[in-house]
Amino acid sequence: MKLIEVKDYQEMSQVAADYLLSKVKSSNQLTLGLATGGTPQGLYEALINDHKQNRTSYQHVSSFNLDEYIGLSGKHPNSYYHYMNDHLFKHIDIDSKNTHIPSGKAVDLEKECEAYDEKICLHGGIDLQILGIGSNGHIGFNEPGTSFDTNTHIVDLAQSTREANARYFDSMDEVPSQAITMGISSIMKSKEILLLVSGEAKQVAMKKLVEGEISEHFPASILNRHEHVTVIADKEALAMVKGLELLNR
Ligand code: F6R
């Protein structure tokens, strides 16, 4: 894992945007894996600003999102479908036919999971996967205890994850209890991974990622086995990490 240490959230977002833009500009065809949540919002804002200023085109880019809540339609303001349109897609020139988000309203959810992995495969896999991390170490919605062998699958959300995401809903009762997520194995097949980590709430997760053992109890730990991971983390997130040198290995 390679570490890029940055000052704060704003710098993390800009450095991530520059990284992603260099890939967008240097390739004829690119498949991105995208995340939602608070962490990548600044990255998406930076991409939108760049698109406004420099007209960087996304016509050759396809995207696959990590996850979606089960039971929320794309029209629901808290669905990740809605989030992606609102925070990125409608502001850039990516073709909506090339953007993919698993459907949390599919009649046959198992089939939806299989079809999602097949679609990623047909696109030749994900070139660059953007990830955030949950404070319990989840990536995508792969909660602690998820097998490292999982493909796209249905998950029960941990109570801590529902509580962390309740800030986007009117009440805790409205937070879905299940989601469809790319599995650990699906994520690990990405050619390259960019993990963004910011803020105090992620300090313990960051420490475990760097200093802890690789274990299904802490899903993000598997990233230590991937050959091409770059972590962009701010000072606050890194405050508890002693062995920073462990990262650039
Ligand atoms: C989002 C996702 C999640 C988040 C994680 C961190 O698509 O898959 O793993 O990256 O829950 O969320 P934030 O960024 O809100 O702290």
Side-chain angles (χ1 to χ4, degrees):
M1 268 197 291
K2 197 177 147 237
L3 171 71
I4 301 177
E5 190 179 347
V6 292
K7 195 167 68 204
D8 53 17
Y9 180 81
Q10 209 184 344
E11 193 180 344
M12 176 196 77
S13 304
Q14 192 55 54
V15 170
D18 292 344
Y19 198 97
L20 193 147
L21 283 167
S22 73
K23 305 278 172 191
V24 171
K25 289 177 189 163
S26 63
S27 51
N28 303 322
Q29 216 184 358
L30 183 71
T31 303
L32 293 173
L34 297 176
T36 55
T39 307
Q41 277 186 30
L43 157 66
Y44 298 149
E45 273 166 32
L47 296 180
I48 294 166
N49 285 340
D50 164 79
H51 183 69
K52 278 192 195 135
Q53 278 164 23
N54 307 317
R55 307 307 307 167
T56 303
S57 178
Y58 294 79
Q59 292 279 305
H60 59 299
V61 176
S62 303
S63 70
F64 285 88
N65 263 78
L66 281 167
D67 38 25
E68 179 60 285
Y69 288 117
I70 287 181
L72 300 193
S73 81
K75 289 198 188 109
H76 193 288
N78 288 323
S79 70
Y80 287 162
Y81 182 93
H82 194 275
Y83 171 110
M84 286 312 298
N85 273 320
D86 218 35
H87 287 92
L88 183 65
F89 297 153
K90 73 177 184 197
H91 305 282
I92 58 175
D93 70 343
I94 195 164
D95 188 334
S96 59
K97 286 201 291 297
N98 296 335
T99 64
H100 308 274
I101 302 177
S103 168
K105 280 292 246 185
V107 182
D108 187 338
L109 287 164
E110 292 298 334
K111 217 168 167 184
E112 176 69 12
C113 293
E114 267 174 49
Y116 201 65
D117 283 323
E118 268 166 34
K119 243 186 281 173
I120 295 175
C121 199
L122 282 173
H123 274 75
I126 288 171
D127 296 309
L128 177 65
Q129 173 68 56
I130 307 297
L131 287 182
I133 185 171
S135 45
N136 64 1
H138 72 223
I139 47 174
F141 271 139
N142 296 286
E143 300 287 17
T146 307
S147 158
F148 284 157
D149 292 331
T150 45
N151 292 319
T152 299
H153 63 131
I154 312 295
V155 289
D156 292 331
L157 296 175
Q159 186 60 12
S160 62
T161 302
R162 293 185 67 233
E163 280 162 12
N165 290 0
R167 64 192 193 273
Y168 299 112
F169 292 81
D170 288 339
S171 74
M172 186 64 197
D173 291 345
E174 287 179 28
V175 185
S177 51
Q178 284 192 311
I180 179 167
T181 182
M182 272 167 63
I184 301 279
S185 171
S186 330
I187 293 171
M188 286 295 280
K189 282 184 196 135
S190 311
K191 287 162 207 149
E192 185 177 353
I193 293 174
L194 194 57
L195 172 66
L196 310 183
V197 197
S198 168
E200 198 185 340
K202 304 296 168 67
Q203 280 176 357
V204 174
M206 194 63 222
K207 185 176 173 64
K208 283 192 186 163
L209 175 68
V210 179
E211 297 171 10
E213 56 184 34
I214 299 177
S215 151
E216 287 175 353
H217 295 299
F218 191 76
S221 61
I222 190 72
L223 298 175
N224 286 290
R225 289 212 186 119
H226 193 285
E227 282 186 353
H228 201 169
V229 177
T230 304
V231 184
I232 307 179
D234 67 12
K235 281 197 188 315
E236 220 176 10
L238 289 167
M240 281 172 74
V241 181
K242 291 203 188 77
L244 268 187
E245 70 286 352
L246 287 173
L247 265 164
N248 285 316
R249 66 201 147 147

